[in-house]
Amino acid sequence: MLLWPLVRRGTGGPWVSAAQATQLINREDAQVLDVRDPGEYGAGHILGAKNLPLARLASAGEVAKKKDAALIVYCDTGDRSGKAVAALKKQGYSKVANLSGGLSAWKQAGLPVER
């Protein structure tokens, strides 16, 4: 059990904290992708996040204008977003990061959420 967080962090990465994500948004104009279902997104999401459910990610076409654009992917806790990061990397996106702890960690850090 103690090793599970270390094993989990090895997949779906790289991981960024809420503070690091804020820096990427402010300094590199990172696009934020919410891979939760539309109902979850409607209940609250990171300010300016684009909703692209994990199930539709493969057929979504172009996610960002440039394949080297900074992308931050999140869900509630980081499980679905890990799969999304892997899928985006397969599509050729090079600067994709998974928000560690997902929306829960974002809220816990006191960062803005919109409905």
Side-chain angles (χ1 to χ4, degrees):
M1 280 183 152
L2 295 175
L3 293 177
W4 181 246
L6 294 175
V7 171
R8 188 171 167 262
R9 284 185 73 76
T11 60
W15 295 75
V16 293
S17 67
Q20 291 168 321
T22 302
Q23 289 177 352
L24 283 171
I25 293 165
N26 292 336
R27 293 181 183 165
E28 295 187 36
D29 199 27
Q31 182 176 344
V32 182
L33 293 176
D34 183 324
V35 295
R36 301 175 303 152
D37 294 326
E40 294 171 295
Y41 177 81
H45 54 273
I46 293 175
L47 193 67
K50 177 180 175 184
N51 184 225
L52 185 58
L54 180 59
R56 289 191 11 230
L57 189 63
S59 63
E62 190 174 274
V63 175
K65 292 180 182 178
K66 296 181 180 180
K67 294 280 185 177
D68 65 345
L71 298 171
I72 300 168
V73 182
Y74 77 95
C75 61
D76 283 324
T77 60
D79 294 329
R80 287 178 278 184
S81 57
K83 293 174 185 173
V85 167
L88 288 166
K89 284 184 176 182
K90 257 186 165 176
Q91 293 177 17
Y93 293 95
S94 59
K95 291 185 181 177
V96 185
N98 192 345
L99 179 61
S100 182
L103 185 61
S104 301
W106 185 268
K107 287 179 181 176
Q108 193 172 28
L111 295 166
V113 175
E114 67 178 342
R115 292 183 188 254

XYZ file of all heavy atoms in Angstrom:
850
model
N 0.811 -1.201 0.000
C 0.000 0.000 0.000
C 0.854 1.264 0.000
O 0.486 2.237 -0.624
C -0.921 0.031 1.200
C -2.138 -0.786 1.086
S -3.054 -0.484 2.590
C -4.669 -0.756 2.040
N 1.940 1.222 0.706
C 2.782 2.406 0.779
C 3.447 2.727 -0.546
O 3.777 3.875 -0.822
C 3.834 2.240 1.871
C 3.302 2.144 3.295
C 4.443 1.866 4.260
C 2.567 3.414 3.688
N 3.651 1.724 -1.379
C 4.298 1.933 -2.666
C 3.326 2.363 -3.758
O 3.742 2.857 -4.793
C 5.025 0.661 -3.112
C 6.217 0.257 -2.260
C 6.783 -1.049 -2.759
C 7.277 1.335 -2.283
N 2.025 2.185 -3.544
C 1.040 2.492 -4.588
C 1.148 3.926 -5.112
O 1.137 4.127 -6.332
C -0.368 2.202 -4.107
C -1.381 2.493 -5.170
C -2.335 3.447 -5.156
C -1.512 1.842 -6.438
N -3.058 3.432 -6.317
C -2.559 2.453 -7.122
C -0.829 0.797 -7.065
C -2.962 2.063 -8.394
C -1.238 0.423 -8.332
C -2.281 1.047 -8.975
N 1.272 4.955 -4.293
C 1.408 6.303 -4.840
C 2.631 6.459 -5.745
O 2.574 7.167 -6.754
C 1.539 7.203 -3.604
C 0.889 6.427 -2.510
C 1.165 4.982 -2.835
N 3.717 5.785 -5.415
C 4.917 5.864 -6.256
C 4.702 5.167 -7.591
O 5.113 5.660 -8.633
C 6.112 5.251 -5.522
C 6.579 5.994 -4.281
C 7.683 5.206 -3.582
C 7.068 7.385 -4.642
N 4.041 4.021 -7.568
C 3.754 3.290 -8.801
C 2.800 4.105 -9.662
O 2.988 4.259 -10.865
C 3.144 1.906 -8.480
C 2.636 1.229 -9.737
C 4.174 1.038 -7.776
N 1.769 4.663 -9.057
C 0.764 5.432 -9.776
C 1.368 6.677 -10.410
O 1.023 7.054 -11.517
C -0.357 5.834 -8.818
C -1.527 6.462 -9.521
C -2.684 6.626 -8.543
N -3.644 7.495 -9.155
C -3.752 8.783 -8.919
N -2.946 9.368 -8.067
N -4.649 9.514 -9.524
N 2.277 7.340 -9.729
C 2.901 8.551 -10.258
C 3.750 8.270 -11.495
O 3.989 9.150 -12.293
C 3.770 9.237 -9.199
C 2.948 9.973 -8.172
C 3.829 10.735 -7.211
N 4.435 11.917 -7.770
C 3.824 13.073 -7.995
N 2.542 13.174 -7.769
N 4.480 14.118 -8.453
N 4.175 7.022 -11.660
C 4.982 6.672 -12.818
C 4.180 6.592 -14.103
O 4.727 6.544 -15.185
N 2.853 6.563 -13.998
C 2.005 6.469 -15.185
C 1.269 7.780 -15.403
O 0.984 8.518 -14.470
C 0.966 5.347 -15.002
O 0.157 5.643 -13.868
C 1.631 4.008 -14.812
N 0.971 8.066 -16.648
C 0.167 9.244 -16.967
C 0.849 10.559 -16.688
O 0.197 11.573 -16.526
N 2.159 10.575 -16.615
C 2.882 11.790 -16.259
C 3.416 12.499 -17.474
O 3.161 12.079 -18.578
N 4.091 13.579 -17.350
C 4.544 14.152 -16.093
C 3.393 14.776 -15.298
O 2.372 15.141 -15.860
C 5.543 15.227 -16.530
C 5.077 15.637 -17.872
C 4.505 14.379 -18.489
N 3.608 14.861 -14.016
C 2.615 15.413 -13.108
C 3.028 16.819 -12.705
O 4.217 17.096 -12.542
C 2.520 14.541 -11.857
C 1.999 13.168 -12.151
C 2.671 12.148 -12.743
C 0.697 12.673 -11.881
N 1.871 11.043 -12.855
C 0.645 11.337 -12.329
C -0.437 13.231 -11.303
C -0.490 10.555 -12.216
C -1.558 12.442 -11.185
C -1.588 11.129 -11.642
N 2.042 17.699 -12.526
C 2.311 19.041 -12.014
C 1.361 19.310 -10.851
O 0.234 18.835 -10.829
C 2.132 20.146 -13.093
C 3.188 20.033 -14.171
C 0.744 20.136 -13.697
N 1.843 20.063 -9.885
C 1.005 20.458 -8.754
C 0.106 21.607 -9.191
O 0.291 22.175 -10.271
C 1.887 20.908 -7.591
O 2.558 22.112 -7.940
N -0.827 21.976 -8.346
C -1.714 23.105 -8.652
C -0.895 24.389 -8.819
O -1.159 25.190 -9.722
C -2.761 23.265 -7.550
N 0.120 24.580 -7.987
C 0.966 25.774 -8.090
C 1.752 25.785 -9.399
O 1.853 26.813 -10.066
C 1.920 25.845 -6.895
N 2.300 24.629 -9.779
C 3.036 24.541 -11.037
C 2.105 24.756 -12.237
O 2.484 25.388 -13.221
C 3.728 23.176 -11.153
C 4.862 22.980 -10.173
C 5.330 21.533 -10.116
O 4.536 20.597 -10.175
N 6.639 21.357 -9.992
N 0.884 24.234 -12.142
C -0.097 24.413 -13.215
C -0.421 25.896 -13.380
O -0.508 26.404 -14.503
C -1.364 23.621 -12.915
N -0.570 26.599 -12.272
C -0.849 28.036 -12.320
C 0.289 28.774 -13.019
O 0.044 29.667 -13.838
C -1.042 28.585 -10.886
O -2.103 27.862 -10.263
C -1.398 30.051 -10.899
N 1.513 28.387 -12.732
C 2.663 29.011 -13.392
C 2.650 28.730 -14.894
O 2.936 29.619 -15.693
C 3.969 28.522 -12.773
C 4.207 29.056 -11.392
C 5.483 28.501 -10.764
O 6.112 27.603 -11.296
N 5.853 29.062 -9.618
N 2.323 27.500 -15.288
C 2.248 27.169 -16.712
C 1.159 27.975 -17.418
O 1.345 28.427 -18.540
C 1.986 25.672 -16.905
C 3.152 24.737 -16.699
C 2.690 23.279 -16.700
C 4.194 24.946 -17.789
N 0.042 28.156 -16.737
C -1.057 28.928 -17.314
C -0.635 30.388 -17.483
O -0.855 30.994 -18.535
C -2.329 28.820 -16.436
C -2.866 27.387 -16.469
C -3.388 29.817 -16.887
C -3.889 27.081 -15.387
N -0.002 30.942 -16.470
C 0.386 32.354 -16.501
C 1.594 32.637 -17.390
O 1.627 33.646 -18.076
C 0.670 32.863 -15.088
C -0.585 32.929 -14.241
O -1.692 33.033 -14.756
N -0.419 32.840 -12.938
N 2.581 31.758 -17.374
C 3.832 32.023 -18.099
C 3.854 31.474 -19.524
O 4.484 32.052 -20.392
C 5.019 31.449 -17.328
C 5.245 32.171 -16.016
C 6.429 31.611 -15.289
N 6.576 32.278 -13.992
C 7.325 31.821 -13.024
N 8.023 30.717 -13.175
N 7.410 32.477 -11.890
N 3.198 30.323 -19.738
C 3.254 29.686 -21.052
C 1.897 29.628 -21.740
O 1.756 28.964 -22.756
C 3.846 28.282 -20.933
C 5.292 28.280 -20.482
C 5.901 26.880 -20.531
O 5.556 26.111 -21.441
O 6.725 26.585 -19.655
N 0.906 30.296 -21.160
C -0.445 30.305 -21.717
C -0.956 28.880 -21.959
O -1.519 28.576 -23.001
C -0.485 31.133 -23.002
C -1.898 31.556 -23.367
O -2.739 31.683 -22.456
O -2.166 31.745 -24.575
N -0.722 28.013 -20.989
C -1.126 26.614 -21.104
C -2.638 26.504 -21.219
O -3.379 27.222 -20.552
C -0.639 25.826 -19.892
N -3.074 25.595 -22.072
C -4.494 25.306 -22.223
C -4.850 24.235 -21.203
O -4.097 23.278 -21.007
C -4.787 24.806 -23.630
C -6.251 24.543 -23.875
C -6.518 24.136 -25.318
O -5.701 24.326 -26.198
N -7.680 23.576 -25.547
N -6.002 24.368 -20.570
C -6.426 23.420 -19.546
C -7.566 22.575 -20.103
O -8.555 23.101 -20.602
C -6.872 24.152 -18.256
C -7.263 23.154 -17.184
C -5.766 25.070 -17.754
N -7.403 21.242 -20.031
C -8.405 20.304 -20.533
C -9.020 19.515 -19.386
O -8.309 18.872 -18.620
C -7.781 19.309 -21.509
C -7.279 19.834 -22.827
C -6.613 18.709 -23.611
C -8.407 20.431 -23.625
N -10.325 19.572 -19.291
C -11.084 18.816 -18.304
C -11.615 17.575 -19.018
O -12.411 17.691 -19.948
C -12.232 19.685 -17.794
C -13.048 19.039 -16.702
O -13.245 17.809 -16.742
O -13.508 19.772 -15.813
N -11.171 16.382 -18.622
C -11.579 15.162 -19.312
C -12.726 14.436 -18.601
O -12.997 13.272 -18.883
C -10.377 14.207 -19.535
C -9.373 14.830 -20.474
C -9.714 13.808 -18.235
N -13.433 15.149 -17.736
C -14.590 14.565 -17.063
C -15.813 14.656 -17.972
O -15.799 15.327 -18.999
C -14.862 15.292 -15.745
C -13.690 15.233 -14.780
C -13.917 16.063 -13.536
N -14.178 17.447 -13.899
C -14.908 18.288 -13.174
N -15.451 17.891 -12.045
N -15.076 19.541 -13.566
N -16.883 14.015 -17.579
C -18.133 14.068 -18.336
C -18.748 15.461 -18.243
O -18.487 16.193 -17.274
C -19.110 13.021 -17.802
C -18.616 11.593 -18.035
O -17.970 11.359 -19.066
O -18.878 10.734 -17.171
N -19.582 15.843 -19.225
C -20.179 17.190 -19.228
C -20.939 17.557 -17.950
O -20.897 18.698 -17.516
C -21.123 17.163 -20.433
C -20.494 16.181 -21.358
C -19.902 15.119 -20.456
N -21.604 16.587 -17.330
C -22.316 16.858 -16.084
C -21.377 17.260 -14.961
O -21.659 18.189 -14.195
N -20.256 16.572 -14.868
C -19.246 16.890 -13.851
C -18.640 18.265 -14.141
O -18.427 19.059 -13.240
C -18.137 15.841 -13.847
C -18.591 14.458 -13.409
C -17.517 13.414 -13.628
O -17.164 13.146 -14.794
O -17.015 12.873 -12.612
N -18.357 18.517 -15.411
C -17.790 19.804 -15.831
C -18.744 20.945 -15.468
O -18.323 21.973 -14.948
C -17.547 19.773 -17.344
C -17.031 21.063 -17.932
C -15.688 21.391 -17.866
C -17.892 21.948 -18.583
C -15.202 22.562 -18.429
C -17.418 23.119 -19.147
C -16.068 23.422 -19.066
O -15.603 24.582 -19.624
N -20.041 20.739 -15.711
C -21.048 21.763 -15.413
C -21.180 22.066 -13.931
O -21.570 23.161 -13.540
N -20.845 21.093 -13.095
C -20.934 21.283 -11.647
C -19.795 22.147 -11.110
O -19.871 22.650 -10.004
C -20.951 19.935 -10.940
N -18.754 22.330 -11.900
C -17.625 23.152 -11.491
C -16.355 22.704 -12.172
O -16.105 21.507 -12.274
N -15.584 23.674 -12.667
C -14.343 23.360 -13.369
C -13.350 24.506 -13.208
O -13.711 25.597 -12.794
C -14.608 23.103 -14.864
C -15.331 24.217 -15.537
N -16.711 24.310 -15.552
C -14.892 25.305 -16.200
C -17.083 25.399 -16.202
N -15.994 26.025 -16.602
N -12.101 24.224 -13.562
C -11.051 25.240 -13.487
C -11.388 26.368 -14.452
O -11.835 26.124 -15.574
C -9.676 24.617 -13.809
C -9.293 23.627 -12.704
C -8.603 25.684 -13.972
C -8.016 22.861 -12.975
N -11.183 27.571 -14.003
C -11.468 28.765 -14.783
C -10.832 28.679 -16.168
O -9.629 28.483 -16.291
C -10.916 29.978 -14.029
C -11.341 31.359 -14.474
C -12.821 31.572 -14.219
C -10.550 32.408 -13.727
N -11.649 28.750 -17.222
C -11.155 28.732 -18.591
C -10.865 27.355 -19.164
O -10.394 27.245 -20.298
N -11.159 26.295 -18.423
C -10.884 24.940 -18.904
C -11.840 24.550 -20.028
O -13.007 24.931 -20.030
C -11.005 23.933 -17.763
N -11.325 23.795 -20.974
C -12.111 23.271 -22.080
C -12.525 21.849 -21.717
O -11.704 21.064 -21.252
C -11.251 23.267 -23.344
C -11.906 22.687 -24.553
C -10.944 22.729 -25.743
C -11.537 22.043 -26.947
N -10.582 22.005 -28.067
N -13.815 21.522 -21.911
C -14.294 20.181 -21.597
C -14.133 19.268 -22.805
O -14.643 19.551 -23.885
C -15.755 20.232 -21.163
C -16.286 18.893 -20.728
O -17.372 18.500 -21.110
N -15.555 18.181 -19.895
N -13.399 18.193 -22.626
C -13.194 17.183 -23.658
C -13.179 15.825 -22.959
O -12.129 15.365 -22.513
C -11.886 17.433 -24.404
C -11.585 16.532 -25.591
C -12.696 16.605 -26.638
C -10.276 16.933 -26.219
N -14.369 15.196 -22.817
C -14.442 13.930 -22.089
C -13.478 12.885 -22.639
O -13.239 12.818 -23.849
C -15.897 13.491 -22.305
C -16.635 14.765 -22.567
C -15.671 15.630 -23.322
N -12.953 12.079 -21.760
C -11.984 11.054 -22.115
C -12.508 10.159 -23.235
O -11.771 9.816 -24.152
C -11.625 10.213 -20.879
C -10.622 9.088 -21.072
C -9.292 9.628 -21.597
C -10.411 8.342 -19.777
N -13.780 9.811 -23.192
C -14.369 8.932 -24.200
C -14.329 9.544 -25.606
O -14.305 8.822 -26.596
C -15.811 8.595 -23.826
N -14.315 10.865 -25.692
C -14.312 11.537 -26.995
C -12.921 12.016 -27.414
O -12.760 12.568 -28.501
C -15.251 12.746 -26.961
C -16.706 12.364 -26.905
C -17.655 13.524 -27.124
N -17.064 14.753 -27.599
C -17.269 15.951 -27.063
N -18.046 16.068 -26.021
N -16.719 17.030 -27.569
N -11.934 11.807 -26.592
C -10.599 12.342 -26.842
C -9.986 11.823 -28.148
O -9.420 12.593 -28.920
C -9.679 12.028 -25.668
C -8.322 12.695 -25.674
C -8.468 14.214 -25.591
C -7.487 12.213 -24.522
N -10.116 10.540 -28.408
C -9.505 9.955 -29.605
C -10.123 10.486 -30.892
O -9.445 10.636 -31.900
C -9.623 8.436 -29.559
N -11.415 10.826 -30.855
C -12.095 11.302 -32.060
C -12.254 12.818 -32.095
O -12.942 13.340 -32.968
C -13.470 10.641 -32.162
O -14.272 11.025 -31.058
N -11.615 13.508 -31.191
C -11.805 14.959 -31.069
C -11.098 15.753 -32.157
O -11.400 16.913 -32.363
C -11.340 15.436 -29.703
N -10.152 15.152 -32.839
C -9.388 15.904 -33.830
C -8.348 16.759 -33.144
O -7.688 16.330 -32.206
N -8.220 18.004 -33.586
C -7.203 18.906 -33.051
C -7.602 19.426 -31.671
O -8.638 20.049 -31.504
C -7.028 20.080 -34.012
C -5.849 20.949 -33.706
C -5.646 22.009 -34.772
O -4.990 21.707 -35.770
O -6.164 23.124 -34.593
N -6.763 19.172 -30.694
C -7.018 19.620 -29.325
C -6.439 21.018 -29.120
O -7.057 21.875 -28.513
C -6.417 18.621 -28.303
C -6.565 19.126 -26.887
C -7.070 17.263 -28.458
N -5.240 21.234 -29.633
C -4.574 22.538 -29.550
C -4.041 22.876 -30.944
O -3.796 21.988 -31.757
C -3.433 22.495 -28.543
N -3.868 24.167 -31.203
C -3.402 24.607 -32.517
C -2.009 24.086 -32.848
O -1.712 23.754 -33.980
C -3.432 26.125 -32.610
C -4.839 26.673 -32.610
C -4.853 28.172 -32.693
C -6.294 28.672 -32.626
N -6.367 30.116 -32.656
N -1.144 24.029 -31.840
C 0.222 23.562 -32.039
C 0.458 22.303 -31.213
O 0.021 22.222 -30.068
C 1.222 24.634 -31.616
C 1.161 25.900 -32.439
C 2.204 26.872 -31.933
C 2.191 28.163 -32.722
N 3.200 29.099 -32.230
N 1.171 21.359 -31.781
C 1.469 20.111 -31.070
C 2.447 20.334 -29.916
O 2.555 19.509 -29.028
C 2.057 19.071 -32.034
C 1.080 18.609 -33.090
C 0.141 17.577 -32.565
C -0.728 17.059 -33.693
N -1.614 15.999 -33.292
N 3.161 21.472 -29.925
C 4.086 21.754 -28.822
C 3.517 22.768 -27.829
O 4.238 23.302 -27.000
C 5.443 22.211 -29.350
C 5.391 23.545 -30.087
O 4.279 23.990 -30.449
O 6.461 24.134 -30.304
N 2.210 23.013 -27.913
C 1.554 23.916 -26.954
C 1.469 23.223 -25.592
O 1.294 22.008 -25.507
C 0.157 24.270 -27.444
N 1.575 24.000 -24.532
C 1.482 23.453 -23.174
C 0.028 23.103 -22.859
O -0.868 23.921 -23.040
C 2.012 24.469 -22.168
N -0.185 21.868 -22.428
C -1.520 21.388 -22.066
C -1.490 20.830 -20.656
O -0.570 20.090 -20.293
C -1.966 20.265 -23.013
C -2.117 20.586 -24.490
C -2.357 19.309 -25.282
C -3.263 21.546 -24.703
N -2.495 21.189 -19.875
C -2.662 20.632 -18.529
C -3.980 19.866 -18.546
O -5.011 20.435 -18.889
C -2.698 21.738 -17.457
C -1.392 22.534 -17.482
C -2.951 21.129 -16.080
C -1.447 23.805 -16.686
N -3.930 18.601 -18.203
C -5.098 17.737 -18.248
C -5.490 17.371 -16.818
O -4.628 17.100 -15.989
C -4.793 16.458 -19.058
C -6.009 15.579 -19.163
C -4.262 16.819 -20.441
N -6.804 17.381 -16.546
C -7.244 16.992 -15.203
C -8.608 16.327 -15.237
O -9.372 16.446 -16.198
C -7.275 18.207 -14.259
C -8.459 19.121 -14.453
C -9.603 18.974 -13.673
C -8.450 20.121 -15.412
C -10.699 19.800 -13.849
C -9.528 20.954 -15.584
C -10.662 20.792 -14.807
O -11.749 21.610 -14.991
N -8.905 15.611 -14.167
C -10.228 15.046 -13.893
C -10.474 15.287 -12.403
O -9.962 16.265 -11.863
C -10.282 13.563 -14.278
S -9.128 12.511 -13.387
N -11.213 14.427 -11.740
C -11.455 14.637 -10.311
C -10.225 14.339 -9.459
O -9.864 15.109 -8.577
C -12.619 13.772 -9.818
C -13.964 14.352 -10.217
O -14.107 15.586 -10.226
O -14.877 13.564 -10.538
N -9.573 13.200 -9.749
C -8.468 12.770 -8.895
C -7.176 12.457 -9.635
O -6.147 12.265 -9.008
C -8.871 11.507 -8.106
O -9.192 10.477 -9.045
C -10.051 11.768 -7.193
N -7.212 12.349 -10.943
C -6.007 12.067 -11.722
C -6.020 10.740 -12.446
O -5.114 10.445 -13.216
N -7.039 9.899 -12.228
C -7.092 8.590 -12.867
C -7.400 8.694 -14.359
O -6.661 8.166 -15.192
C -8.115 7.686 -12.181
C -7.710 7.347 -10.752
O -6.492 7.284 -10.497
O -8.598 7.161 -9.916
N -8.493 9.358 -14.709
C -8.860 9.507 -16.127
C -7.872 10.387 -16.869
O -7.563 10.151 -18.033
C -10.266 10.105 -16.264
C -11.362 9.132 -15.905
C -12.706 9.784 -16.013
N -12.962 10.547 -14.795
C -14.090 11.186 -14.541
N -15.067 11.192 -15.419
N -14.242 11.836 -13.410
N -7.380 11.400 -16.199
C -6.452 12.320 -16.870
C -5.144 11.629 -17.227
O -4.501 11.984 -18.213
C -6.211 13.570 -16.026
O -5.713 13.242 -14.749
N -4.730 10.632 -16.465
C -3.530 9.863 -16.801
C -3.685 9.170 -18.140
O -2.776 9.162 -18.975
N -4.870 8.594 -18.372
C -5.157 7.946 -19.652
C -5.190 8.988 -20.770
O -4.730 8.735 -21.886
C -6.487 7.205 -19.580
C -6.458 6.029 -18.640
C -7.830 5.406 -18.488
C -7.798 4.305 -17.439
N -9.127 3.787 -17.135
N -5.732 10.156 -20.471
C -5.819 11.229 -21.472
C -4.426 11.722 -21.857
O -4.159 11.987 -23.035
C -6.660 12.379 -20.937
N -3.539 11.856 -20.881
C -2.164 12.297 -21.161
C -1.492 11.316 -22.116
O -0.863 11.708 -23.095
C -1.348 12.458 -19.851
C 0.129 12.592 -20.143
C -1.840 13.665 -19.068
N -1.654 10.022 -21.843
C -1.055 9.000 -22.710
C -1.621 9.090 -24.122
O -0.877 9.014 -25.103
C -1.293 7.615 -22.113
N -2.929 9.294 -24.243
C -3.569 9.396 -25.557
C -3.095 10.639 -26.308
O -2.843 10.586 -27.523
C -5.088 9.423 -25.399
N -2.957 11.757 -25.609
C -2.499 12.995 -26.245
C -1.052 12.874 -26.712
O -0.691 13.366 -27.780
C -2.675 14.185 -25.298
C -4.118 14.620 -25.083
C -4.223 15.555 -23.888
C -4.671 15.281 -26.332
N -0.234 12.209 -25.922
C 1.163 12.001 -26.324
C 1.221 11.130 -27.577
O 2.032 11.367 -28.462
C 1.967 11.381 -25.189
C 2.302 12.383 -24.103
C 3.180 11.756 -23.056
C 3.588 12.787 -22.029
N 4.480 12.217 -21.022
N 0.335 10.141 -27.666
C 0.257 9.293 -28.855
C -0.129 10.109 -30.087
O 0.275 9.797 -31.193
C -0.780 8.185 -28.649
C -0.223 6.851 -28.349
C -1.331 5.833 -28.324
C -0.759 4.450 -28.391
N -1.775 3.431 -28.286
N -0.932 11.151 -29.873
C -1.373 12.017 -30.972
C -0.312 13.037 -31.356
O -0.501 13.808 -32.277
C -2.679 12.739 -30.597
C -3.867 11.816 -30.458
C -5.118 12.562 -30.012
O -5.203 13.781 -30.089
N -6.096 11.828 -29.522
N 0.799 13.066 -30.624
C 1.908 13.934 -30.986
C 2.072 15.193 -30.159
O 2.944 16.011 -30.439
N 1.261 15.368 -29.117
C 1.413 16.542 -28.254
C 2.591 16.300 -27.316
O 2.662 15.279 -26.646
C 0.119 16.812 -27.478
C -0.999 17.242 -28.396
C -1.907 16.328 -28.891
C -1.111 18.562 -28.791
C -2.918 16.716 -29.759
C -2.115 18.966 -29.656
C -3.015 18.031 -30.133
O -4.006 18.422 -31.003
N 3.524 17.242 -27.278
C 4.764 17.013 -26.538
C 4.793 17.621 -25.140
O 5.510 17.137 -24.279
C 5.949 17.540 -27.346
O 5.797 18.919 -27.610
N 4.035 18.671 -24.888
C 4.053 19.340 -23.574
C 2.735 19.114 -22.845
O 1.963 20.039 -22.618
C 4.302 20.835 -23.744
C 5.684 21.192 -24.217
C 5.839 22.692 -24.238
C 7.199 23.132 -24.716
N 7.292 24.594 -24.797
N 2.480 17.880 -22.485
C 1.242 17.522 -21.799
C 1.576 17.165 -20.360
O 2.493 16.391 -20.111
C 0.556 16.318 -22.479
C -0.780 16.031 -21.833
C 0.392 16.558 -23.968
N 0.836 17.739 -19.430
C 1.055 17.459 -18.013
C -0.263 17.093 -17.341
O -1.324 17.594 -17.717
C 1.666 18.675 -17.324
N -0.183 16.228 -16.367
C -1.330 15.764 -15.605
C -1.368 16.523 -14.280
O -0.371 16.571 -13.572
C -1.179 14.259 -15.360
C -2.424 13.607 -14.839
O -3.349 14.260 -14.393
N -2.438 12.288 -14.896
N -2.510 17.121 -13.957
C -2.655 17.851 -12.699
C -2.728 16.862 -11.547
O -3.692 16.098 -11.430
C -3.896 18.739 -12.723
C -4.179 19.538 -11.456
C -3.036 20.503 -11.148
C -5.487 20.292 -11.587
N -1.722 16.832 -10.721
C -1.650 15.922 -9.587
C -2.789 16.203 -8.610
O -2.950 17.315 -8.144
C -0.299 16.093 -8.886
O -0.184 15.191 -7.825
N -3.587 15.173 -8.348
C -4.705 15.338 -7.425
C -5.966 15.860 -8.080
O -7.008 15.951 -7.442
N -5.881 16.238 -9.343
C -7.043 16.677 -10.104
C -7.726 17.915 -9.534
O -7.111 18.743 -8.847
N -9.006 18.012 -9.817
C -9.787 19.175 -9.379
C -9.831 19.274 -7.858
O -9.853 20.371 -7.301
C -11.203 19.115 -9.954
C -12.096 20.311 -9.688
C -11.501 21.592 -10.288
C -13.494 20.084 -10.238
N -9.792 18.142 -7.193
C -9.803 18.146 -5.718
C -8.604 18.912 -5.169
O -8.745 19.733 -4.259
C -9.782 16.712 -5.182
O -10.892 16.001 -5.648
N -7.425 18.667 -5.727
C -6.213 19.362 -5.272
C -6.273 20.849 -5.629
O -5.823 21.696 -4.859
C -4.976 18.724 -5.895
N -6.847 21.153 -6.786
C -6.997 22.553 -7.230
C -7.859 23.324 -6.222
O -7.501 24.406 -5.776
C -7.615 22.580 -8.617
C -7.721 23.925 -9.242
C -8.792 24.782 -9.172
C -6.737 24.607 -10.030
N -8.527 25.921 -9.881
C -7.275 25.832 -10.419
C -5.458 24.266 -10.450
C -6.573 26.738 -11.208
C -4.759 25.161 -11.239
C -5.318 26.380 -11.600
N -8.991 22.726 -5.853
C -9.896 23.367 -4.884
C -9.233 23.482 -3.514
O -9.369 24.496 -2.838
C -11.191 22.558 -4.754
C -12.113 22.659 -5.930
C -13.339 21.784 -5.686
C -14.312 21.802 -6.813
N -15.447 20.882 -6.593
N -8.529 22.438 -3.118
C -7.867 22.430 -1.815
C -6.814 23.530 -1.731
O -6.573 24.087 -0.660
C -7.237 21.070 -1.555
C -6.796 20.867 -0.131
C -6.356 19.430 0.116
O -5.884 18.738 -0.797
N -6.518 18.969 1.338
N -6.214 23.876 -2.860
C -5.220 24.953 -2.897
C -5.884 26.330 -2.904
O -5.200 27.356 -2.879
C -4.327 24.808 -4.128
N -7.224 26.355 -2.936
C -7.946 27.623 -2.890
C -7.945 28.365 -4.221
O -8.140 29.589 -4.250
N -7.743 27.657 -5.316
C -7.698 28.279 -6.636
C -9.099 28.371 -7.240
O -9.980 27.608 -6.869
C -6.734 27.510 -7.540
C -5.285 27.575 -7.053
C -4.423 26.535 -7.755
C -4.713 28.968 -7.260
N -9.313 29.314 -8.176
C -10.665 29.579 -8.666
C -11.293 28.441 -9.498
O -10.618 27.804 -10.289
C -10.505 30.829 -9.521
C -9.074 30.857 -9.911
C -8.330 30.207 -8.790
N -12.592 28.262 -9.255
C -13.409 27.289 -9.985
C -14.647 28.033 -10.461
O -15.189 28.877 -9.752
C -13.809 26.123 -9.050
C -14.748 25.152 -9.735
C -12.573 25.400 -8.548
N -15.068 27.736 -11.688
C -16.297 28.360 -12.209
C -17.318 27.299 -12.540
O -16.999 26.143 -12.720
C -15.990 29.231 -13.422
C -15.533 28.489 -14.659
C -15.276 29.405 -15.852
O -15.761 30.547 -15.855
O -14.574 28.955 -16.772
N -18.568 27.724 -12.635
C -19.675 26.807 -12.997
C -20.234 27.178 -14.338
O -20.179 28.219 -14.803
C -20.778 26.902 -11.951
C -20.315 26.342 -10.644
C -21.432 26.369 -9.614
N -20.894 25.996 -8.332
C -21.121 24.830 -7.778
N -21.867 23.941 -8.373
N -20.599 24.540 -6.620
